[in-house]
Short mmCIF file of all heavy atoms in Angstrom, two decimals:
data_model
loop_
_atom_site.label_atom_id
_atom_site.label_comp_id
_atom_site.label_asym_id
_atom_site.label_seq_id
_atom_site.Cartn_x
_atom_site.Cartn_y
_atom_site.Cartn_z
N ALA A 116 -31.78 64.38 31.52
CA ALA A 116 -31.12 64.90 32.77
C ALA A 116 -31.79 64.16 34.04
O ALA A 116 -31.06 63.74 34.85
CB ALA A 116 -31.31 66.32 32.97
N GLU A 163 -25.99 73.65 23.62
CA GLU A 163 -27.14 74.21 24.37
C GLU A 163 -27.79 73.14 25.27
O GLU A 163 -28.18 73.37 26.39
CB GLU A 163 -28.16 74.88 23.43
CG GLU A 163 -29.34 75.50 24.21
CD GLU A 163 -30.38 76.12 23.32
OE1 GLU A 163 -29.97 76.51 22.01
OE2 GLU A 163 -31.50 76.18 23.70
N PHE A 164 -27.83 71.90 24.68
CA PHE A 164 -28.39 70.81 25.51
C PHE A 164 -27.56 70.56 26.83
O PHE A 164 -28.15 70.36 27.82
CB PHE A 164 -28.26 69.49 24.59
CG PHE A 164 -29.02 68.32 25.10
CD1 PHE A 164 -30.13 67.81 24.38
CD2 PHE A 164 -28.78 67.67 26.31
CE1 PHE A 164 -30.84 66.79 24.75
CE2 PHE A 164 -29.44 66.59 26.73
CZ PHE A 164 -30.56 66.10 25.93
N LEU A 165 -26.25 70.64 26.67
CA LEU A 165 -25.44 70.42 27.86
C LEU A 165 -25.57 71.56 28.85
O LEU A 165 -25.49 71.41 30.07
CB LEU A 165 -23.95 70.24 27.49
CG LEU A 165 -23.72 68.93 26.80
CD1 LEU A 165 -22.35 68.86 26.07
CD2 LEU A 165 -23.71 67.69 27.81
N LYS A 166 -25.69 72.73 28.36
CA LYS A 166 -25.93 73.88 29.29
C LYS A 166 -27.21 73.79 30.00
O LYS A 166 -27.28 73.92 31.24
CB LYS A 166 -26.01 75.16 28.32
CG LYS A 166 -26.13 76.48 29.14
CD LYS A 166 -26.19 77.64 28.34
CE LYS A 166 -24.91 77.88 27.59
NZ LYS A 166 -24.84 79.21 26.80
N VAL A 167 -28.29 73.32 29.36
CA VAL A 167 -29.58 73.14 30.04
C VAL A 167 -29.45 71.90 31.00
O VAL A 167 -29.89 72.07 32.17
CB VAL A 167 -30.70 72.81 29.02
CG1 VAL A 167 -31.97 72.54 29.77
CG2 VAL A 167 -30.82 74.07 28.09
N ALA A 168 -28.93 70.82 30.61
CA ALA A 168 -28.78 69.60 31.47
C ALA A 168 -27.98 69.89 32.70
O ALA A 168 -28.40 69.59 33.87
CB ALA A 168 -28.17 68.54 30.74
N THR A 169 -26.80 70.55 32.67
CA THR A 169 -26.05 70.84 33.83
C THR A 169 -26.78 71.79 34.79
O THR A 169 -26.65 71.78 35.95
CB THR A 169 -24.63 71.43 33.37
OG1 THR A 169 -24.76 72.49 32.51
CG2 THR A 169 -23.81 70.26 32.79
N ARG A 170 -27.52 72.75 34.25
CA ARG A 170 -28.18 73.66 35.00
C ARG A 170 -29.42 73.06 35.70
O ARG A 170 -29.77 73.34 36.92
CB ARG A 170 -28.68 74.88 34.19
CG ARG A 170 -27.59 75.88 33.87
CD ARG A 170 -27.92 77.08 33.01
NE ARG A 170 -26.95 77.94 32.70
CZ ARG A 170 -27.00 78.92 31.86
NH1 ARG A 170 -28.11 79.15 31.17
NH2 ARG A 170 -25.90 79.71 31.61
N LEU A 171 -29.99 72.03 35.02
CA LEU A 171 -30.99 71.22 35.66
C LEU A 171 -30.44 70.44 36.85
O LEU A 171 -31.03 70.38 37.93
CB LEU A 171 -31.69 70.30 34.63
CG LEU A 171 -32.67 71.08 33.73
CD1 LEU A 171 -33.06 70.03 32.59
CD2 LEU A 171 -33.93 71.40 34.44
N TRP A 172 -29.24 69.83 36.70
CA TRP A 172 -28.66 69.07 37.75
C TRP A 172 -28.29 70.07 39.00
O TRP A 172 -28.30 69.60 40.04
CB TRP A 172 -27.41 68.41 37.27
CG TRP A 172 -27.66 67.18 36.42
CD1 TRP A 172 -28.78 66.39 36.51
CD2 TRP A 172 -26.97 66.88 35.21
NE1 TRP A 172 -28.66 65.40 35.46
CE2 TRP A 172 -27.70 65.68 34.65
CE3 TRP A 172 -25.81 67.31 34.62
CZ2 TRP A 172 -27.13 65.02 33.59
CZ3 TRP A 172 -25.35 66.68 33.47
CH2 TRP A 172 -26.04 65.56 32.89
N ASP A 173 -28.05 71.30 38.66
CA ASP A 173 -27.80 72.24 39.66
C ASP A 173 -28.97 73.01 40.16
O ASP A 173 -28.88 73.99 40.92
CB ASP A 173 -26.77 73.21 39.15
CG ASP A 173 -25.36 72.70 38.93
OD1 ASP A 173 -25.06 71.56 39.42
OD2 ASP A 173 -24.56 73.28 38.13
N SER A 174 -30.20 72.62 39.79
CA SER A 174 -31.37 73.41 40.08
C SER A 174 -31.78 73.19 41.51
O SER A 174 -32.57 73.94 41.96
CB SER A 174 -32.53 73.15 39.25
OG SER A 174 -32.83 71.78 39.20
N TRP A 175 -31.18 72.22 42.21
CA TRP A 175 -31.35 72.02 43.67
C TRP A 175 -29.95 72.14 44.28
O TRP A 175 -29.00 71.45 43.79
CB TRP A 175 -31.97 70.75 44.02
CG TRP A 175 -33.42 70.54 43.55
CD1 TRP A 175 -33.84 69.94 42.44
CD2 TRP A 175 -34.56 71.12 44.19
NE1 TRP A 175 -35.24 70.09 42.32
CE2 TRP A 175 -35.62 70.76 43.40
CE3 TRP A 175 -34.72 71.76 45.42
CZ2 TRP A 175 -37.00 71.10 43.77
CZ3 TRP A 175 -36.12 72.09 45.79
CH2 TRP A 175 -37.16 71.74 44.93
N HIS A 196 -33.37 76.48 42.29
CA HIS A 196 -33.13 77.49 41.38
C HIS A 196 -33.46 76.99 40.02
O HIS A 196 -32.67 76.28 39.30
CB HIS A 196 -31.62 77.83 41.38
CG HIS A 196 -31.05 78.13 42.78
ND1 HIS A 196 -31.21 79.36 43.37
CD2 HIS A 196 -30.43 77.36 43.68
CE1 HIS A 196 -30.67 79.41 44.57
NE2 HIS A 196 -30.20 78.12 44.72
N ALA A 197 -34.72 77.34 39.51
CA ALA A 197 -35.15 76.94 38.19
C ALA A 197 -34.29 77.64 37.12
O ALA A 197 -34.07 78.85 37.17
CB ALA A 197 -36.62 77.34 38.09
N PRO A 198 -33.78 76.92 36.12
CA PRO A 198 -32.96 77.45 35.06
C PRO A 198 -33.76 78.50 34.27
O PRO A 198 -33.12 79.40 33.74
CB PRO A 198 -32.59 76.28 34.25
CG PRO A 198 -32.74 75.05 35.06
CD PRO A 198 -33.88 75.41 36.01
N ALA A 199 -35.07 78.27 33.99
CA ALA A 199 -35.81 79.14 33.14
C ALA A 199 -35.14 79.48 31.83
O ALA A 199 -34.91 80.61 31.45
CB ALA A 199 -36.21 80.43 33.89
N HIS A 200 -34.71 78.41 31.18
CA HIS A 200 -33.94 78.53 29.89
C HIS A 200 -34.84 78.76 28.69
O HIS A 200 -35.84 78.07 28.52
CB HIS A 200 -33.09 77.28 29.73
CG HIS A 200 -32.28 77.27 28.45
ND1 HIS A 200 -31.10 77.93 28.31
CD2 HIS A 200 -32.55 76.89 27.22
CE1 HIS A 200 -30.67 77.79 27.07
NE2 HIS A 200 -31.61 77.10 26.39
N SER A 201 -34.50 79.71 27.87
CA SER A 201 -35.12 79.91 26.63
C SER A 201 -33.97 80.19 25.57
O SER A 201 -33.31 81.20 25.60
CB SER A 201 -36.06 81.08 26.65
OG SER A 201 -36.73 81.33 25.39
N PRO A 210 -37.56 73.66 38.05
CA PRO A 210 -36.22 72.84 38.43
C PRO A 210 -36.57 71.36 38.02
O PRO A 210 -37.55 70.93 37.71
CB PRO A 210 -36.07 73.07 39.83
CG PRO A 210 -37.41 73.21 40.42
CD PRO A 210 -38.21 73.98 39.39
N LEU A 211 -35.45 70.71 38.19
CA LEU A 211 -35.53 69.17 37.95
C LEU A 211 -36.26 68.54 38.95
O LEU A 211 -36.15 69.00 40.23
CB LEU A 211 -34.08 68.51 37.88
CG LEU A 211 -33.87 67.19 37.21
CD1 LEU A 211 -34.28 67.25 35.70
CD2 LEU A 211 -32.45 66.76 37.35
N ARG A 215 -30.23 66.92 43.55
CA ARG A 215 -28.90 67.04 42.88
C ARG A 215 -28.26 65.69 42.93
O ARG A 215 -28.22 65.01 44.04
CB ARG A 215 -28.06 68.08 43.55
CG ARG A 215 -26.83 68.45 42.62
CD ARG A 215 -26.27 69.84 43.03
NE ARG A 215 -25.29 70.27 42.04
CZ ARG A 215 -23.99 70.10 42.20
NH1 ARG A 215 -23.42 69.72 43.29
NH2 ARG A 215 -23.13 70.58 41.24
N HIS A 220 -22.88 66.19 38.90
CA HIS A 220 -23.18 65.90 37.58
C HIS A 220 -22.68 64.50 37.23
O HIS A 220 -21.61 64.20 37.58
CB HIS A 220 -22.61 66.82 36.55
CG HIS A 220 -22.89 68.28 36.65
ND1 HIS A 220 -22.14 69.33 36.15
CD2 HIS A 220 -23.74 68.92 37.48
CE1 HIS A 220 -22.51 70.44 36.43
NE2 HIS A 220 -23.53 70.32 37.31
N TRP A 240 -16.93 70.87 27.67
CA TRP A 240 -17.86 70.21 28.53
C TRP A 240 -17.34 68.85 29.08
O TRP A 240 -17.71 68.49 30.20
CB TRP A 240 -19.18 69.91 27.78
CG TRP A 240 -19.95 71.11 27.47
CD1 TRP A 240 -20.07 71.80 26.29
CD2 TRP A 240 -20.76 71.97 28.36
NE1 TRP A 240 -20.84 72.81 26.38
CE2 TRP A 240 -21.35 72.91 27.65
CE3 TRP A 240 -21.13 71.78 29.71
CZ2 TRP A 240 -22.20 73.95 28.22
CZ3 TRP A 240 -21.93 72.79 30.36
CH2 TRP A 240 -22.40 73.78 29.63
N PRO A 394 -25.66 77.99 41.64
CA PRO A 394 -26.51 78.38 40.52
C PRO A 394 -25.96 79.54 39.75
O PRO A 394 -26.22 79.66 38.58
CB PRO A 394 -27.80 78.68 41.13
CG PRO A 394 -27.59 78.85 42.64
CD PRO A 394 -26.37 78.10 42.97
N ALA A 396 -22.75 80.03 39.21
CA ALA A 396 -21.45 79.76 38.60
C ALA A 396 -21.62 79.18 37.14
O ALA A 396 -22.72 78.65 36.85
CB ALA A 396 -20.73 78.62 39.41
N ASP A 397 -20.57 79.33 36.44
CA ASP A 397 -20.50 78.75 35.06
C ASP A 397 -20.58 77.18 35.23
O ASP A 397 -19.86 76.62 35.86
CB ASP A 397 -19.22 79.14 34.33
CG ASP A 397 -19.15 78.60 32.88
OD1 ASP A 397 -19.84 77.66 32.57
OD2 ASP A 397 -18.25 79.10 32.23
N PRO A 398 -21.65 76.51 34.59
CA PRO A 398 -21.75 75.08 34.89
C PRO A 398 -20.74 74.22 34.26
O PRO A 398 -20.60 73.07 34.63
CB PRO A 398 -23.14 74.79 34.09
CG PRO A 398 -23.29 75.86 33.13
CD PRO A 398 -22.66 77.13 33.75
#
Side-chain angles (χ1 to χ4, degrees):
E163 186 178 333
F164 195 114
L165 288 164
K166 183 179 295 183
V167 177
T169 51
R170 288 178 178 173
L171 285 168
W172 289 323
D173 291 340
S174 59
W175 295 95
H196 310 277
H200 175 87
S201 179
L211 199 62
R215 193 161 191 257
H220 304 165
W240 293 102
D397 181 340

